[in-house]
Coordinates of all heavy atoms in Angstrom, one line a residue:
M189 N 31.0 196.0 79.1 CA 30.5 194.8 79.8 C 29.1 194.4 79.3 O 28.5 195.2 78.5 CB 30.4 195.1 81.3 CG 29.2 196.0 81.7 SD 29.2 196.5 83.5 CE 27.6 197.2 83.6
K190 N 28.7 193.2 79.6 CA 27.4 192.7 79.1 C 26.3 193.3 80.0 O 26.4 193.4 81.2 CB 27.4 191.2 79.2 CG 26.6 190.6 78.1 CD 26.9 189.1 78.0 CE 25.8 188.4 77.2 NZ 25.7 187.0 77.3
C191 N 25.1 193.6 79.3 CA 24.0 194.2 80.0 C 23.3 193.1 80.9 O 23.1 192.0 80.5 CB 23.0 194.7 79.0 SG 21.6 195.4 79.8
A192 N 23.1 193.5 82.2 CA 22.4 192.6 83.1 C 20.9 192.6 83.0 O 20.3 191.7 83.5 CB 22.8 193.0 84.5
I193 N 20.4 193.5 82.3 CA 18.9 193.6 82.1 C 18.4 192.7 80.9 O 17.6 191.8 81.1 CB 18.4 195.1 81.9 CG1 18.9 195.9 83.1 CG2 16.9 195.1 81.8 CD1 18.4 195.6 84.5
C194 N 18.9 193.0 79.7 CA 18.4 192.3 78.6 C 19.3 191.1 78.2 O 18.9 190.3 77.5 CB 18.3 193.3 77.4 SG 19.9 193.9 76.8
R195 N 20.5 191.1 78.8 CA 21.4 190.0 78.6 C 21.9 189.7 77.2 O 22.5 188.7 76.9 CB 20.9 188.7 79.2 CG 20.7 188.7 80.7 CD 20.0 187.5 81.2 NE 19.7 187.7 82.6 CZ 20.5 187.5 83.6 NH1 21.7 187.1 83.4 NH2 20.2 187.7 84.9
S196 N 21.6 190.7 76.3 CA 22.1 190.5 74.9 C 22.9 191.7 74.5 O 23.7 191.6 73.6 CB 20.9 190.2 74.0 OG 20.0 191.3 74.0
G197 N 22.6 192.9 75.1 CA 23.3 194.1 74.7 C 24.6 194.2 75.3 O 25.0 193.5 76.3
K198 N 25.4 195.1 74.8 CA 26.7 195.5 75.4 C 26.7 196.9 75.8 O 26.0 197.7 75.2 CB 27.8 195.3 74.4 CG 28.4 193.9 74.4 CD 29.8 193.9 73.8 CE 29.9 194.6 72.5 NZ 30.4 193.9 71.3
T199 N 27.4 197.3 76.9 CA 27.4 198.7 77.3 C 28.5 199.5 76.7 O 29.6 198.9 76.5 CB 27.4 198.8 78.8 OG1 28.6 198.1 79.3 CG2 26.3 198.1 79.5
E200 N 28.2 200.7 76.4 CA 29.2 201.6 75.8 C 29.3 202.8 76.7 O 28.3 203.2 77.3 CB 28.7 202.1 74.4 CG 28.5 201.0 73.4 CD 29.8 200.6 72.7 OE1 30.8 201.3 73.0 OE2 29.7 199.7 72.0
K201 N 30.5 203.4 76.8 CA 30.6 204.6 77.6 C 29.8 205.7 76.9 O 29.8 205.9 75.7 CB 32.1 205.0 77.6 CG 33.0 204.1 78.4 CD 33.4 204.7 79.7 CE 34.2 203.8 80.6 NZ 33.4 202.8 81.3
G202 N 29.1 206.5 77.8 CA 28.3 207.6 77.3 C 27.9 208.5 78.4 O 28.5 208.4 79.5
F203 N 26.9 209.3 78.1 CA 26.4 210.3 79.1 C 25.0 210.0 79.3 O 24.2 209.8 78.3 CB 26.7 211.7 78.7 CG 28.1 212.1 78.7 CD1 28.9 212.1 77.5 CD2 28.8 212.4 79.9 CE1 30.2 212.4 77.5 CE2 30.1 212.7 79.9 CZ 30.8 212.8 78.7
A204 N 24.5 210.1 80.6 CA 23.1 209.9 80.9 C 22.6 211.2 81.5 O 23.3 212.0 82.0 CB 23.0 208.7 81.8
T205 N 21.2 211.3 81.5 CA 20.6 212.3 82.3 C 19.9 211.6 83.4 O 19.2 210.7 83.3 CB 19.5 213.0 81.4 OG1 20.2 213.6 80.3 CG2 18.8 214.1 82.2
V206 N 20.2 212.1 84.6 CA 19.7 211.5 85.9 C 18.7 212.5 86.6 O 19.1 213.7 86.8 CB 20.8 211.1 86.8 CG1 20.3 210.6 88.1 CG2 21.7 210.1 86.1
V207 N 17.5 212.0 86.9 CA 16.6 212.9 87.6 C 16.4 212.4 89.0 O 16.2 211.2 89.2 CB 15.2 212.8 86.9 CG1 14.2 213.7 87.6 CG2 15.3 213.3 85.4
L208 N 16.6 213.3 90.0 CA 16.5 212.9 91.4 C 15.3 213.7 91.9 O 15.2 214.9 91.7 CB 17.7 213.2 92.2 CG 19.0 212.4 91.8 CD1 20.2 213.0 92.6 CD2 18.8 211.0 92.1
E209 N 14.4 213.1 92.7 CA 13.3 213.8 93.3 C 13.3 213.6 94.8 O 13.5 212.5 95.3 CB 12.0 213.3 92.7 CG 11.7 213.7 91.3 CD 10.3 213.3 90.9 OE1 9.3 213.9 91.5 OE2 10.1 212.4 90.1
K210 N 13.1 214.7 95.5 CA 13.0 214.6 96.9 C 12.0 215.6 97.4 O 12.2 216.8 97.1 CB 14.4 214.9 97.5 CG 14.4 215.0 99.0 CD 14.8 213.6 99.6 CE 15.2 213.7 101.1 NZ 14.1 214.0 102.0
D211 N 10.9 215.2 98.0 CA 9.8 216.1 98.4 C 9.4 217.0 97.2 O 9.0 216.5 96.2 CB 10.2 216.9 99.6 CG 10.6 216.0 100.8 OD1 10.0 214.9 100.9 OD2 11.5 216.3 101.6
E212 N 9.5 218.3 97.4 CA 9.1 219.2 96.3 C 10.2 219.5 95.3 O 10.0 220.2 94.4 CB 8.7 220.6 97.0 CG 7.6 220.4 98.0 CD 6.3 220.1 97.4 OE1 5.7 220.9 96.6 OE2 5.8 219.0 97.6
T213 N 11.3 218.9 95.5 CA 12.5 219.3 94.7 C 12.8 218.3 93.6 O 12.8 217.1 93.8 CB 13.7 219.5 95.6 OG1 13.4 220.4 96.6 CG2 14.9 220.0 94.8
V214 N 13.0 218.8 92.4 CA 13.4 217.9 91.3 C 14.8 218.4 90.8 O 14.9 219.6 90.4 CB 12.4 218.0 90.1 CG1 12.9 217.1 89.0 CG2 11.0 217.6 90.6
L215 N 15.7 217.5 90.7 CA 17.1 217.9 90.2 C 17.3 217.1 89.0 O 17.2 215.9 89.0 CB 18.1 217.6 91.3 CG 18.0 218.3 92.6 CD1 19.0 217.8 93.6 CD2 18.2 219.8 92.5
V216 N 17.7 217.7 87.9 CA 18.1 217.1 86.7 C 19.6 217.2 86.4 O 20.0 218.4 86.2 CB 17.2 217.7 85.5 CG1 17.6 216.9 84.2 CG2 15.8 217.6 85.8
F217 N 20.3 216.1 86.5 CA 21.7 216.2 86.2 C 21.9 215.7 84.8 O 21.5 214.6 84.4 CB 22.5 215.3 87.1 CG 22.5 215.7 88.5 CD1 21.6 215.3 89.5 CD2 23.5 216.6 88.9 CE1 21.6 215.8 90.8 CE2 23.6 217.1 90.2 CZ 22.6 216.7 91.2
K218 N 22.6 216.6 84.0 CA 22.8 216.2 82.6 C 24.3 215.9 82.4 O 25.1 216.2 83.2 CB 22.5 217.4 81.7 CG 21.0 217.7 81.7 CD 20.6 218.6 80.6 CE 21.1 220.0 80.8 NZ 20.7 221.0 79.8
R219 N 24.6 215.1 81.4 CA 26.0 214.7 81.1 C 26.6 213.9 82.2 O 27.8 214.2 82.6 CB 26.8 215.9 80.7 CG 26.4 216.6 79.4 CD 27.3 217.6 78.9 NE 28.7 217.1 78.6 CZ 29.0 216.4 77.5 NH1 28.0 216.1 76.6 NH2 30.2 215.9 77.3
V220 N 25.9 213.0 82.8 CA 26.5 212.1 83.8 C 27.2 211.0 83.2 O 26.6 210.2 82.4 CB 25.3 211.6 84.8 CG1 25.9 210.7 85.8 CG2 24.6 212.8 85.4
P221 N 28.5 210.8 83.4 CA 29.2 209.7 82.8 C 28.6 208.4 83.2 O 28.4 208.1 84.4 CB 30.6 209.9 83.3 CG 30.7 211.1 84.1 CD 29.3 211.6 84.4
S222 N 28.3 207.5 82.2 CA 27.8 206.2 82.6 C 28.0 205.2 81.4 O 28.5 205.6 80.4 CB 26.3 206.4 82.8 OG 25.7 206.9 81.6
D223 N 27.7 204.0 81.7 CA 27.7 202.9 80.7 C 26.3 202.7 80.2 O 25.4 202.5 81.1 CB 28.4 201.6 81.2 CG 29.8 201.8 81.5 OD1 30.5 202.4 80.7 OD2 30.3 201.3 82.6
I224 N 26.1 202.7 78.9 CA 24.7 202.6 78.4 C 24.6 201.4 77.5 O 25.4 201.2 76.6 CB 24.3 203.9 77.7 CG1 24.4 205.1 78.7 CG2 22.9 203.8 77.1 CD1 24.4 206.4 78.0
C225 N 23.6 200.6 77.7 CA 23.4 199.4 76.9 C 23.0 199.8 75.5 O 22.1 200.6 75.3 CB 22.3 198.5 77.5 SG 21.8 197.1 76.5
D226 N 23.6 199.2 74.5 CA 23.3 199.6 73.1 C 22.0 198.9 72.6 O 21.5 199.2 71.5 CB 24.5 199.3 72.2 CG 24.9 197.8 72.1 OD1 24.2 197.0 72.8 OD2 25.8 197.4 71.5
T227 N 21.5 198.0 73.4 CA 20.2 197.3 73.0 C 19.0 197.9 73.7 O 18.0 198.3 73.1 CB 20.3 195.8 73.2 OG1 21.5 195.3 72.5 CG2 19.1 195.1 72.8
C228 N 19.0 197.9 75.1 CA 17.8 198.3 75.8 C 17.9 199.7 76.4 O 16.9 200.2 76.9 CB 17.4 197.3 76.9 SG 18.6 197.3 78.3
G229 N 19.1 200.3 76.4 CA 19.3 201.6 76.8 C 19.4 201.8 78.3 O 19.4 202.9 78.9
E230 N 19.6 200.6 79.0 CA 19.8 200.7 80.5 C 21.1 201.5 80.8 O 22.1 201.3 80.1 CB 19.8 199.3 81.0 CG 20.1 199.1 82.5 CD 18.9 199.6 83.3 OE1 17.8 199.7 82.8 OE2 19.0 199.9 84.5
Q231 N 21.0 202.3 81.8 CA 22.1 203.1 82.2 C 22.8 202.6 83.5 O 22.1 202.3 84.5 CB 21.7 204.6 82.5 CG 21.1 205.2 81.3 CD 20.3 206.5 81.7 OE1 20.2 206.8 82.8 NE2 19.9 207.2 80.7
Y232 N 24.1 202.4 83.4 CA 24.9 202.0 84.6 C 25.8 203.1 85.1 O 26.6 203.5 84.3 CB 25.7 200.7 84.2 CG 24.9 199.6 83.8 CD1 24.5 199.4 82.5 CD2 24.4 198.7 84.8 CE1 23.7 198.3 82.2 CE2 23.6 197.6 84.5 CZ 23.3 197.4 83.2 OH 22.5 196.3 82.8
I233 N 25.5 203.5 86.3 CA 26.3 204.6 86.8 C 27.2 204.1 87.9 O 26.7 203.3 88.8 CB 25.4 205.7 87.4 CG1 24.6 206.4 86.2 CG2 26.2 206.8 88.1 CD1 23.5 207.2 86.5
S234 N 28.5 204.4 87.9 CA 29.4 203.8 88.9 C 29.1 204.4 90.3 O 28.5 205.5 90.4 CB 30.9 204.2 88.5 OG 31.1 205.6 88.7
S235 N 29.5 203.6 91.3 CA 29.2 204.1 92.7 C 29.9 205.4 93.0 O 29.4 206.2 93.7 CB 29.6 203.0 93.7 OG 30.9 202.6 93.5
E236 N 31.1 205.6 92.4 CA 31.8 206.8 92.6 C 31.1 208.0 92.1 O 30.9 209.0 92.7 CB 33.2 206.7 91.9 CG 34.2 207.7 92.2 CD 35.4 207.5 91.4 OE1 35.8 206.4 91.1 OE2 36.0 208.5 91.0
V237 N 30.6 207.9 90.8 CA 29.8 208.9 90.2 C 28.5 209.2 91.0 O 28.0 210.3 91.2 CB 29.5 208.6 88.7 CG1 28.4 209.6 88.2 CG2 30.8 208.7 87.9
N238 N 27.9 208.0 91.4 CA 26.6 208.1 92.2 C 26.8 208.9 93.5 O 26.0 209.7 93.9 CB 26.1 206.7 92.5 CG 24.7 206.6 92.9 OD1 23.9 207.4 92.4 ND2 24.4 205.8 93.9
R239 N 27.9 208.6 94.2 CA 28.2 209.3 95.4 C 28.4 210.8 95.2 O 27.8 211.6 95.9 CB 29.5 208.7 96.0 CG 29.5 208.6 97.5 CD 30.7 208.0 98.2 NE 31.8 207.7 97.3 CZ 32.2 206.5 97.1 NH1 31.6 205.5 97.6 NH2 33.2 206.3 96.3
S240 N 29.1 211.1 94.1 CA 29.3 212.5 93.8 C 27.9 213.2 93.5 O 27.7 214.3 93.8 CB 30.2 212.6 92.6 OG 30.5 213.9 92.3
L241 N 27.0 212.5 92.8 CA 25.7 213.0 92.4 C 24.9 213.3 93.7 O 24.3 214.4 93.8 CB 24.9 211.9 91.7 CG 24.9 212.0 90.2 CD1 24.0 210.9 89.6 CD2 24.4 213.3 89.7
L242 N 24.9 212.4 94.6 CA 24.1 212.5 95.9 C 24.7 213.7 96.7 O 23.9 214.4 97.3 CB 24.1 211.2 96.7 CG 23.3 210.1 96.0 CD1 23.4 208.8 96.8 CD2 21.9 210.4 95.8
H243 N 26.0 213.8 96.7 CA 26.7 214.9 97.4 C 26.2 216.2 96.9 O 25.8 217.1 97.6 CB 28.2 214.7 97.3 CG 29.0 215.9 97.9 ND1 29.3 215.9 99.2 CD2 29.4 217.0 97.4 CE1 29.9 217.0 99.5 NE2 30.1 217.7 98.4
H244 N 26.2 216.3 95.6 CA 25.8 217.5 94.9 C 24.3 217.8 95.1 O 23.9 218.9 95.4 CB 26.0 217.3 93.4 CG 26.2 218.6 92.6 ND1 27.3 218.9 91.9 CD2 25.3 219.7 92.6 CE1 27.1 220.1 91.4 NE2 26.0 220.6 91.8
A245 N 23.5 216.7 95.1 CA 22.1 216.9 95.3 C 21.8 217.4 96.7 O 20.9 218.2 96.9 CB 21.4 215.5 95.2
R246 N 22.5 217.0 97.7 CA 22.3 217.5 99.1 C 22.6 219.0 99.2 O 21.8 219.7 99.8 CB 23.2 216.7 100.1 CG 22.5 216.1 101.2 CD 23.3 215.4 102.2 NE 24.6 214.9 101.7 CZ 24.9 213.7 101.5 NH1 24.1 212.7 101.7 NH2 26.1 213.3 101.1
E247 N 23.6 219.4 98.5 CA 23.9 220.9 98.5 C 22.8 221.6 97.8 O 22.4 222.7 98.3 CB 25.2 221.1 97.7 CG 26.4 220.7 98.4 CD 27.7 221.0 97.7 OE1 27.6 221.5 96.5 OE2 28.8 220.8 98.2
E248 N 22.2 221.1 96.7 CA 21.1 221.8 96.1 C 19.9 221.8 97.0 O 19.1 222.8 97.0 CB 20.8 221.1 94.7 CG 21.9 221.2 93.7 CD 22.2 222.6 93.4 OE1 21.3 223.5 93.3 OE2 23.4 222.9 93.2
L249 N 19.6 220.7 97.7 CA 18.5 220.6 98.6 C 18.6 221.7 99.7 O 17.6 222.3 100.1 CB 18.3 219.2 99.2 CG 17.8 218.2 98.2 CD1 17.9 216.8 98.9 CD2 16.4 218.4 97.8
N250 N 19.8 221.9 100.1 CA 20.0 222.9 101.2 C 19.7 224.3 100.7 O 19.4 225.2 101.5 CB 21.5 222.8 101.7 CG 21.7 221.6 102.5 OD1 20.8 221.0 103.0 ND2 23.0 221.2 102.6
R251 N 19.7 224.5 99.4 CA 19.5 225.8 98.8 C 18.0 226.0 98.6 O 17.5 227.0 98.1 CB 20.2 226.0 97.5 CG 21.7 226.2 97.7 CD 22.4 226.2 96.4 NE 21.8 227.0 95.4 CZ 21.7 226.8 94.1 NH1 22.3 225.8 93.6 NH2 21.1 227.7 93.3
N252 N 17.2 225.0 98.9 CA 15.7 225.0 98.7 C 15.3 225.3 97.3 O 14.3 226.1 97.1 CB 15.1 226.1 99.7 CG 15.1 225.6 101.1 OD1 14.8 224.4 101.4 ND2 15.5 226.4 102.0
V253 N 15.9 224.8 96.3 CA 15.5 224.9 94.9 C 14.3 224.0 94.7 O 14.1 223.0 95.4 CB 16.6 224.6 93.9 CG1 17.7 225.6 94.1 CG2 17.1 223.2 94.1
T254 N 13.5 224.3 93.7 CA 12.3 223.4 93.4 C 12.6 222.6 92.1 O 12.2 221.5 92.0 CB 11.0 224.2 93.3 OG1 11.2 225.3 92.4 CG2 10.5 224.7 94.6
L255 N 13.3 223.3 91.2 CA 13.6 222.6 89.9 C 15.0 223.1 89.5 O 15.2 224.3 89.4 CB 12.6 222.8 88.8 CG 12.9 222.3 87.5 CD1 13.0 220.8 87.5 CD2 11.9 222.7 86.4
E256 N 15.9 222.2 89.3 CA 17.2 222.7 88.9 C 17.8 221.8 87.8 O 17.7 220.5 87.9 CB 18.1 222.7 90.1 CG 19.5 223.3 89.9 CD 19.5 224.8 90.2 OE1 18.5 225.5 89.9 OE2 20.5 225.3 90.7
M257 N 18.3 222.4 86.7 CA 19.0 221.6 85.7 C 20.5 221.8 85.9 O 20.9 223.0 85.9 CB 18.6 222.1 84.3 CG 17.2 221.9 84.0 SD 17.0 220.4 83.0 CE 16.1 221.1 81.7
L258 N 21.2 220.8 86.0 CA 22.6 220.9 86.3 C 23.5 220.1 85.3 O 23.1 218.9 84.9 CB 22.9 220.4 87.7 CG 22.2 221.1 88.8 CD1 22.0 220.1 90.0 CD2 22.9 222.3 89.3
N259 N 24.6 220.6 84.9 CA 25.5 219.7 84.2 C 26.4 219.1 85.2 O 26.9 219.7 86.1 CB 26.4 220.6 83.3 CG 25.7 220.9 81.9 OD1 25.0 220.1 81.4 ND2 25.9 222.1 81.5
F260 N 26.5 217.8 85.1 CA 27.2 217.0 86.1 C 28.7 217.4 86.0 O 29.3 217.4 84.9 CB 27.1 215.5 85.9 CG 27.9 214.7 86.9 CD1 27.4 214.6 88.2 CD2 29.1 214.2 86.6 CE1 28.1 213.9 89.2 CE2 29.8 213.4 87.5 CZ 29.3 213.3 88.8
V261 N 29.3 217.7 87.2 CA 30.7 218.1 87.2 C 31.4 217.1 88.2 O 30.9 217.1 89.4 CB 31.0 219.5 87.6 CG1 32.4 219.9 87.6 CG2 30.2 220.5 86.7
P262 N 32.4 216.4 87.8 CA 33.1 215.5 88.8 C 33.6 216.4 90.0 O 34.0 217.5 89.8 CB 34.2 214.9 88.0 CG 33.8 215.0 86.6 CD 33.0 216.3 86.5
K263 N 33.6 215.8 91.2 CA 33.9 216.5 92.4 C 35.2 217.2 92.4 O 35.4 218.3 92.9 CB 33.8 215.5 93.6 CG 33.2 216.1 94.8 CD 32.7 215.0 95.7 CE 33.1 215.3 97.1 NZ 33.6 214.1 97.8
E264 N 36.2 216.5 91.8 CA 37.6 217.1 91.8 C 37.6 218.4 91.1 O 38.2 219.4 91.6 CB 38.6 216.1 91.1 CG 38.6 214.7 91.5 CD 37.4 213.9 90.9 OE1 37.5 213.8 89.7 OE2 36.5 213.5 91.6
S265 N 36.9 218.5 89.9 CA 37.0 219.8 89.2 C 36.1 220.9 89.9 O 36.4 222.0 89.7 CB 36.6 219.6 87.8 OG 35.4 218.8 87.7
V266 N 35.1 220.5 90.7 CA 34.4 221.5 91.5 C 35.3 222.1 92.5 O 35.4 223.3 92.6 CB 33.2 220.8 92.2 CG1 32.5 221.8 93.1 CG2 32.1 220.4 91.2
N267 N 36.1 221.2 93.2 CA 37.0 221.7 94.2 C 38.0 222.7 93.6 O 38.4 223.7 94.2 CB 37.7 220.6 94.9 CG 36.7 219.8 95.8 OD1 35.7 220.4 96.2 ND2 37.0 218.6 96.1
S268 N 38.5 222.4 92.4 CA 39.6 223.2 91.9 C 39.0 224.5 91.4 O 39.8 225.5 91.1 CB 40.3 222.5 90.7 OG 39.4 222.2 89.7
M269 N 37.7 224.6 91.2 CA 37.1 225.9 90.7 C 36.9 226.8 91.9 O 36.7 228.0 91.7 CB 35.8 225.7 90.0 CG 36.0 225.2 88.6 SD 34.4 225.2 87.6 CE 33.2 224.4 88.7
R270 N 36.9 226.3 93.1 CA 36.6 227.1 94.3 C 37.8 227.8 94.8 O 38.9 227.3 94.7 CB 36.0 226.3 95.4 CG 34.5 226.1 95.0 CD 33.8 225.3 96.1 NE 32.4 225.1 95.7 CZ 31.7 224.0 96.0 NH1 32.1 223.2 96.9 NH2 30.5 223.8 95.6
Ligands
ZN132 ZN1 20.4 195.9 77.8

């Protein structure tokens, strides 16, 4: 799709790193599937992936971590590992 930020680039499927901060906690999610603009680098994350990210973040916050680096795992495969 066409980039909504720079209006000249096109987005390509790729992986992004997403940092979420809440109070004292910093969560770094690596390898998050996203569409990335080939011109300005803007990252577009689908609402489905975003929901999964926030779900995961809540679990981490409950563990009272202060800094955590995580490889993003889609929810379905998390469930099948348990
Ligand atoms: Zn762009």
